[in-house]
């Protein structure tokens, strides 16, 4: 008889390869039964309802229930209230004949939903009390709820914030995306390297979702297009599968509306070919189902191969076609006349991923509803809006024309027809030359012919918006300059925002309570009321309480880092944080190189009064992005060397925190003192992390990029630390023949840090590991790491000086909170609703 395995401690790896990150009870260990003493609290009606659900829906009694059973019972019980409100919201929209907003996004990074739902229903206290009466802690249940693996970065988190604000503003809306089984990936760090593992968030089901069997649609690929004598056209796909809707309710603030997030899953019409199976081809018999399931397995499959490119295009058409078919079906069902579609539906494309929707709607209108091309095109443009999120050429999607035509032959015809109309209009109306015509064409003729999805989205929308003032101006000057000349009123700005419910009230209850005590509850419904907090920056007592809240959050994060990583950090040190997708333009490398320089200065000059710092990094690198993954390894190699060096005396600690997601951000953001927003100017569309940190009382160190410009305007230039070149200066320097080698050689700190990294000081097991990465700085330095280094290092020393003035730092942090109420996603959505969608 074998002895039972001892329980795993935090920081150990279990048999499934999962890092144990909490010392709380595991989801499979029974909770202690409710105390039976005379003083035990009497179960509330909600507690009794949860117990009833536990017995009749989960099949457990209180004595046998495990934490995951209590979590499911709690969600299912609270869900009953949500369902009632959901049905009421839907019926009211139908009865009013309301225009609906349809938000199409390849990502929805919604995070955990239990805390969000009960907070928006204003039932947190009630649920806490009910569970406590049963001997269960709500916070413990919240920690074991998995994050929905439906996104990766700012694009998906923005979509989640927007969906919550749409419901909070009582606007009827659907979100449309893909129900990813494994998401992007779960990140594990092995010996400093990123390892990608499947994110099995659905392995035990999802109590928040509802399968809608009646909402299933035919999705075709390939085949041929057949013309008939009557002029009609019929696409005969060679391959077909079914898109099936799965709905998740989205609860608005104070529960005033519950909207729908509709995600698509895929299945083959014939899940198993019995003839092949019975003939012995047991694997081949399931090929159709496997091919369908591949569409919903992974977010952003690598497109470094032809097969990867094809899978991405299939994914994008799959969810776009299902969504557009669903929107058209709903409109015809409730309003009858397809010609009124734009009056009752506003479709917003979140970046270029759903841009094929333009061609899909044209196909449905012309081929299935018998509208002429001109009429269909007018309806299409009036219905669609397009949000651009990037000026990076590689992120403006395009597809090889042969691939697009092979998979979507009818859509290729429609793209050509749209392009012909567009180019004739450009030549006749605007008198554009051949260069301008080539720039706006939907077909890129430079080299391999490709279909430009951003151009298709721009041409097919009545509104095209950027997501920060600077970004929108650059759109007009760069990637869409010729489109802007052709359609001078189409581009507009809608600066991004974040939902204050999740990013203040829920993740930072201590600060929320302090603000309520100071200025009342008005900011809970209108975040701009935070401006009332500004005078409190001069109140010594308030500053002390404000910093006490911050320290409490830092203590909690320090405990998490100790439990999950075995790393001890001082909560009284400055917490310097850069958490975001790992990409060279976001310049984690600049941060790491400056950290190496700081490390060297601390060792060389121990007599100086250095500011104790905890440098925190987190984020995922795309699986095929070599340099980004190398930057993660460098961060971990530097951390390993610095954290083990007694000569720095605890003045510098570094951690790369693995598997960055919404729940991890909810721990880190409230604890941050310094927010790193240091992208190369002109490359970050907006950013939303910058808003989250400032809302939670962190000072920003950053370039004049994205929404940093507007944050500076709202919080005040004295309460943000700006460094480096502007977007115009970056462009001018590139154009004038930038020579990074001379810059590096002219900066002693930079040169020494680069040489140390390049020579293998931080990689003794492989001295040449970072030689190529550092050679890239010498050779071209496209992201201006060297060019901005001295300004960045100087800005960091300015941060040191500010940190030494504790009262001044606290006052500045308070003014940051007071100044960023404008960056609520409620404000952003109200602007979309008024200016683009026509629903307010």
């Amino acid at each position: 008889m074998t002895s039972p395995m001892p329980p795993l401690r935090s920081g150990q790896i279990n048999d499934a390869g999962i890092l144990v990150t909490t010392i709380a009870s595991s989801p499979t260990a029974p909770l202690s039964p409710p105390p039976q003493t005379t003083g035990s609290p009497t179960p509330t009606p909600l507690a009794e309802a949860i117990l009833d659900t536990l017995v009749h829906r989960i099949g457990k009694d209180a004595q046998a229930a495990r934490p995951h059973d209590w979590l499911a019972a709690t969600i299912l019980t609270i869900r009953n209230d949500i369902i009632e409100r959901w049905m009421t919201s839907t019926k009211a929209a139908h009865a009013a004949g309301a225009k609906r907003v349809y938000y199409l996004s390849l990502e929805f990074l919604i995070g955990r939903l239990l805390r969000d739902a009960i907070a928006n229903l204003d039932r947190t206290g009630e649920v806490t009390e009910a569970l406590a009466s049963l001997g269960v802690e709500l916070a413990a249940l919240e920690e074991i709820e998995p994050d929905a693996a439906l996104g990766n970065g700012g694009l998906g988190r923005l979509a989640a914030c927007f969906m919550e604000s749409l419901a909070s503003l009582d606007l009827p809306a659907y979100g449309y995306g893909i129900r990813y089984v494994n998401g992007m990936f779960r990140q594990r760090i092995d010996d400093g390297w990123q390892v990608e593992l499947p994110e099995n968030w659905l392995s035990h089901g999802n109590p928040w979702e509802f399968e809608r069997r009646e909402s299933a649609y035919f999705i075709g690929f390939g085949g041929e297009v057949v013309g008939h004598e009557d002029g009609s056209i019929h696409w005969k796909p060679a391959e077909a599968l079914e898109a099936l809707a799965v709905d998740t309710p989205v609860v608005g603030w104070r529960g005033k509306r519950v909207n729908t997030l509709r995600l698509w899953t895929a299945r083959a019409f014939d899940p198993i070919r019995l003839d092949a199976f019975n003939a012995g081809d047991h694997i081949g018999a399931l090929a159709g189902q496997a091919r369908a399931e591949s569409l919903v397995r992974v977010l952003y499959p690598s497109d470094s191969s032809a097969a990867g490119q094809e899978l991405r295009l299939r994914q994008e058409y799959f969810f776009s076609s299902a969504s557009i078919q669903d929107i058209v079906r709903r409109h015809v069902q409730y309003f009858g006349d397809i010609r009124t579609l734009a009056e009752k539906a506003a479709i917003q494309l979140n970046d270029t991923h759903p841009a094929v929707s333009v061609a899909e709607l044209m196909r449905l209108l012309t081929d299935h509803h018998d509208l002429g091309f001109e009429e269909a095109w007018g309806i299409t443009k009036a219905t669609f809006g397009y949000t651009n999120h990037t000026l990076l050429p590689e992120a403006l999607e395009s597809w090889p024309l042969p691939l697009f035509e092979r998979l979507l032959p009818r859509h290729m015809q429609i793209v050509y027809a749209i392009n012909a109309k567009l180019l004739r209009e450009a030549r006749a109306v605007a008198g554009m030359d051949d260069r301008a015509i080539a720039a706006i064409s939907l077909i890129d003729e430079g080299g391999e012919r490709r279909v430009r999805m951003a151009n298709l989205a721009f041409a097919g929308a009545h509104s095209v918006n950027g997501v920060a003032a600077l970004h929108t101006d650059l759109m007009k000057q760069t990637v869409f300059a010729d489109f802007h000349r052709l359609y001078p009123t189409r581009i507009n700005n809608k600066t991004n925002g974040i939902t204050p419910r999740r990013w203040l009230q829920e993740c930072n209850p201590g600060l929320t309570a302090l603000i309520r005590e100071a200025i009342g509850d008005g900011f809970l419904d209108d975040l701009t009321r935070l401006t009332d907090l500004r005078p409190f920056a001069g109140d010594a007592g308030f500053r002390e309480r404000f910093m006490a809240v911050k320290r409490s959050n830092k203590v909690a994060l320090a405990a998490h880092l100790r439990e999950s990583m075995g790393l001890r950090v001082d909560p009284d040190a400055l917490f310097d944080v850069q958490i975001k997708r790992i990409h060279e333009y976001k310049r984690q490398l600049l941060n790491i190189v400056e950290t190496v320089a700081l490390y060297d200065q601390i060792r060389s000059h121990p007599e100086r009064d250095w500011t104790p710092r905890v440098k925190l990094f987190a984020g995922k690198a795309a699986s095929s992005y070599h340099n980004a993954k190398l930057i993660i390894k460098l961060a971990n190699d530097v951390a390993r060397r610095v954290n083990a060096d007694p000569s720095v005396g605890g003045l510098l600690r570094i951690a790369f925190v693995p598997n960055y997601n919404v729940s991890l951000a909810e721990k880190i953001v409230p604890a941050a003192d310094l927010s790193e927003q240091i992208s190369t100017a002109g490359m970050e569309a907006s950013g939303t992390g910058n808003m989250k940190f400032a809302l939670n009382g962190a000072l920003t160190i950053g370039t004049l990029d994205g929404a940093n410009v507007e944050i500076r305007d709202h919080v005040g230039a004295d309460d943000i630390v700006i460094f480096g070149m502007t977007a115009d200066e970056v462009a001018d320097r590139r154009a004038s023949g930038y020579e990074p080698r001379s810059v590096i050689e002219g900066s002693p700190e930079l040169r020494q840090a680069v040489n140390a990294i390049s020579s293998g000081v931080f990689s003794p097991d492989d001295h040449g590991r970072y030689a190529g990465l550092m050679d890239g700085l010498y050779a071209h330095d496209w992201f201006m790491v060297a060019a901005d280094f001295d300004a960045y290092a100087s800005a960091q020393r300015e941060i040191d000086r500010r940190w030494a003035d504790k009262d001044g730092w606290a006052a500045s942090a308070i003014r940051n909170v007071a100044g960023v109420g404008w960056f609520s996603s409620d404000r952003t959505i109200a602007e979309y609703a008024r200016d683009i969608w026509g629903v307010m």
Side-chain angles (χ1 to χ4, degrees):
M1 181 175 177
T2 59
S3 301
M5 290 291 291
L8 287 171
R9 296 178 59 82
S10 177
Q12 291 182 310
I13 304 295
N14 65 18
D15 290 340
I18 299 174
L19 180 70
V20 178
T21 59
T22 177
I23 56 175
S25 299
S26 76
T28 56
L31 290 170
S32 299
Q36 302 298 317
T37 62
T38 305
S40 298
T42 303
T44 66
L46 177 59
E48 292 176 348
I50 292 172
L51 275 175
D52 183 73
T53 302
L54 183 71
V55 172
H56 295 104
R57 299 287 302 278
I58 309 302
K60 294 282 187 73
D61 63 26
Q63 299 297 319
R66 269 58 173 176
H68 67 268
D69 298 319
W70 286 109
L71 174 65
T74 302
I75 290 174
L76 292 174
T77 303
I78 296 300
R79 202 180 71 169
N80 291 336
D81 182 9
I82 294 171
I83 291 171
E84 294 288 339
R85 296 169 189 259
W86 196 8
M87 291 182 174
T88 298
S89 299
T90 303
K91 290 175 183 177
H94 290 167
K99 185 176 185 178
R100 288 178 174 81
V101 174
Y102 298 104
Y103 197 81
L104 273 61
S105 178
L106 203 60
E107 296 185 46
F108 286 94
L109 196 55
I110 57 177
R112 295 167 173 165
L113 293 181
L114 176 58
R115 183 170 63 181
D116 198 51
I118 63 176
N120 275 8
L121 293 172
D122 196 21
R123 299 187 69 181
T124 302
E126 180 189 4
V127 176
T128 301
E129 180 186 357
L131 289 171
S133 72
L134 300 171
V136 179
E137 183 183 355
L138 174 60
L141 299 189
E142 291 172 344
E143 282 296 311
I144 65 172
E145 182 181 9
D147 273 56
L150 300 174
N152 173 48
L155 181 84
R157 186 53 232 169
L158 180 76
C161 286
F162 279 7
M163 287 301 299
E164 196 263 6
S165 281
L166 280 161
S168 295
L169 294 179
D170 201 16
L171 299 174
Y174 276 73
Y176 282 106
I178 294 177
R179 180 182 178 270
Y180 301 104
V181 176
N182 299 120
M184 189 169 173
F185 56 80
R186 178 169 54 86
Q187 182 192 58
R188 193 175 71 199
I189 302 299
D190 286 355
D191 191 28
W193 292 102
Q194 171 178 289
V195 176
E196 299 99 22
L197 301 170
E199 181 65 82
N200 296 318
W201 72 288
L202 288 171
S203 58
H204 299 294
N206 178 9
W208 292 108
E209 66 183 22
F210 297 81
E211 184 180 285
R212 305 301 191 194
R213 298 180 185 178
E214 70 280 6
S215 296
Y217 298 95
F218 177 99
I219 309 295
F221 294 101
E224 61 179 342
V225 180
V226 178
H228 301 285
E229 292 183 1
D230 62 0
S232 63
I233 295 176
H234 179 57
W235 175 30
K236 297 175 61 178
E239 176 189 348
L241 54 86
E242 188 175 37
L244 179 68
V246 179
D247 289 353
T248 298
V250 178
V251 183
W253 175 233
R254 302 196 188 279
K256 65 175 65 174
R257 169 171 286 279
V258 178
N259 280 330
T260 301
L261 175 59
R262 174 158 287 186
L263 304 175
W264 300 104
T265 189
R267 65 185 180 191
F269 284 105
D270 295 313
I272 181 171
R273 288 182 50 208
L274 285 176
D275 57 341
F277 190 89
N278 290 329
D281 186 5
H282 302 145
I283 303 300
L286 303 172
Q289 183 63 19
R291 193 170 178 82
E293 290 178 354
S294 69
L295 294 177
V296 298
R297 278 285 169 190
V298 177
L299 167 67
Y300 299 139
S302 174
D303 60 357
S304 57
S305 66
Q309 291 183 34
E310 179 172 333
L311 178 56
R312 279 210 190 188
L313 179 54
R314 283 175 175 268
Q315 274 189 328
E316 293 181 9
Y317 177 68
F318 162 76
F319 108 87
S320 296
S321 176
S323 303
I324 298 301
Q325 289 187 66
D326 196 47
I327 292 166
V328 169
R329 185 271 308 163
R330 184 177 298 107
H331 178 80
V332 172
Q333 178 180 346
Y334 290 107
F335 302 107
D337 187 358
I338 192 61
R339 290 175 171 83
T340 64
L341 178 65
E343 300 171 20
K344 296 297 183 181
I347 305 175
Q348 193 70 26
L349 305 177
N350 191 29
D351 216 359
T352 57
H353 308 121
V356 72
S357 298
V358 172
E360 176 69 357
L361 180 56
M362 285 293 292
R363 181 183 74 87
L364 295 178
L365 294 178
T366 56
D367 297 2
H368 291 257
H369 292 274
D370 301 322
L371 299 187
F373 181 90
E374 291 295 333
E375 185 177 17
W377 185 234
I379 293 171
T380 296
K381 288 195 297 181
T383 304
F384 279 110
Y386 161 51
T387 300
N388 173 271
H389 284 280
T390 183
L391 303 175
L392 296 176
E394 67 269 21
L396 292 173
E397 282 189 316
S398 64
W399 299 108
L401 193 147
L403 170 64
F404 194 96
E405 188 162 26
R406 174 169 58 83
L407 284 183
L408 304 170
R410 177 57 180 144
H411 299 77
M412 190 72 253
Q413 292 179 342
I414 292 170
V415 167
Y416 273 125
I418 295 171
N419 202 40
K421 179 177 178 58
L422 175 69
L423 298 187
R424 291 190 187 107
E425 183 178 354
R427 187 76 80 181
V429 175
M432 290 185 168
D433 58 19
D434 288 344
R435 182 210 57 78
I437 292 292
I440 68 169
S441 175
L442 307 188
I443 311 297
D444 183 358
E445 303 281 356
E448 179 191 33
R449 300 176 75 213
R450 301 178 72 90
V451 182
R452 294 166 162 162
M453 304 311 288
N455 288 23
L456 176 61
F458 196 113
H462 69 279
S463 167
V464 177
N465 71 278
V467 291
L470 174 64
H471 169 235
T472 301
D473 287 342
L474 290 173
M475 283 170 58
K476 296 176 182 178
Q477 299 167 24
T478 58
V479 293
F480 295 128
D482 294 294
F483 266 114
H484 181 55
R485 180 179 160 196
L486 181 60
Y487 303 118
T489 62
R490 190 167 295 187
I491 296 178
N492 61 92
N493 180 58
K494 298 289 174 283
T495 298
N496 283 343
I498 57 173
T499 168
R501 271 72 65 179
R502 185 179 288 264
W503 295 111
L504 177 61
Q505 296 171 37
E506 296 167 33
C507 76
N508 202 341
L511 180 56
T512 303
L514 183 62
I515 296 172
R516 293 179 73 177
E517 179 184 338
I519 65 173
D521 290 349
F523 76 99
L524 299 176
D525 296 289
D526 177 6
L527 199 65
T528 62
R529 297 285 297 276
L530 283 177
T531 55
D532 296 342
L533 194 67
R534 193 172 182 85
F536 288 86
D539 183 326
F542 186 84
R543 290 197 304 267
E544 183 178 354
R545 285 180 288 163
F546 181 91
M547 294 308 292
V549 169
K550 175 66 72 173
R551 190 181 190 282
S552 176
N553 293 333
K554 293 168 72 174
V555 168
L557 177 59
H560 174 77
L561 295 175
R562 184 173 64 252
E563 293 163 2
S564 62
M565 301 180 65
L567 178 69
R568 294 182 178 274
V569 299
D570 179 5
D572 291 315
L574 186 152
F575 278 23
D576 178 350
V577 178
Q578 187 175 20
I579 51 174
K580 54 184 72 233
R581 179 167 55 97
I582 309 299
H583 196 290
E584 287 174 283
Y585 89 83
K586 294 180 182 290
R587 298 204 296 192
Q588 286 91 353
L589 184 58
L590 174 61
N591 192 345
I592 297 167
V593 171
E594 198 281 328
T595 301
V596 170
L598 175 61
Y599 171 55
D600 184 67
Q601 288 294 306
I602 292 173
R603 292 188 300 170
S604 300
H605 298 282
E607 78 282 2
R608 295 179 183 173
D609 188 17
W610 296 104
T611 295
R613 281 186 186 241
V614 175
K615 303 277 289 189
L616 297 179
F617 298 86
K620 296 177 181 179
S623 56
S624 60
Y625 193 168
H626 171 76
N627 275 7
K629 297 176 80 168
L630 197 59
I631 288 168
I632 291 175
K633 174 60 173 171
L634 176 59
N636 281 287
D637 278 349
V638 172
R640 178 162 52 187
R641 169 60 64 91
V642 172
N643 294 345
D645 189 342
S647 69
V648 298
L651 291 171
L652 183 62
R653 301 285 279 174
I654 306 167
F656 187 96
V657 189
N659 203 37
Y660 179 55
N661 57 18
V662 176
S663 296
L664 180 57
E666 289 173 325
K667 292 180 173 67
I668 295 175
V669 168
D673 295 304
L674 185 65
S675 164
E676 298 269 357
Q677 308 298 329
I678 60 176
S679 54
T680 310
M683 290 193 165
E684 183 73 82
S686 169
T688 53
N690 45 8
M691 304 167 191
K692 294 163 192 166
F693 282 114
L695 183 60
N696 284 273
L699 272 64
T700 301
I701 181 171
T703 53
L704 283 177
D705 196 27
N708 290 354
V709 178
E710 289 153 285
I711 290 176
R712 177 199 60 179
D713 295 341
H714 282 268
V715 306
D718 292 339
D719 293 307
I720 185 172
V721 178
I722 297 295
F723 73 93
M725 293 179 290
T726 65
D728 288 342
E729 289 169 341
V730 168
D732 290 344
R733 192 150 188 183
R734 285 174 178 158
S736 64
Y738 169 49
E739 296 182 358
R741 180 174 295 275
S742 63
V743 174
I744 296 172
E745 295 301 328
S747 172
E749 287 189 25
L750 173 58
R751 183 178 67 251
Q752 186 159 331
V754 169
N755 289 343
I757 295 169
S758 182
S759 65
V761 168
F762 299 96
S763 54
D765 58 321
D766 181 1
H767 289 167
R769 178 179 297 145
Y770 303 114
L773 192 63
M774 295 299 102
D775 286 347
L777 295 184
Y778 277 101
H780 48 80
D781 189 26
W782 179 255
F783 299 102
M784 299 287 167
V785 171
D788 271 348
F789 176 85
D790 283 345
Y792 177 57
S794 177
Q796 289 286 17
R797 302 295 73 77
E798 170 62 19
I799 291 295
D800 291 342
R801 288 188 287 273
R802 294 191 183 201
W803 182 256
D805 175 9
K806 296 302 183 184
D807 282 342
W809 184 279
S812 189
I814 292 166
R815 287 192 292 268
N816 266 267
V817 177
V820 294
W822 185 80
F823 294 93
S824 167
S825 53
D826 294 351
R827 184 269 313 158
T828 310
I829 287 298
E831 290 181 2
Y832 274 96
R834 182 187 66 241
D835 301 338
I836 299 176
W837 303 329
V839 293
M840 280 187 77

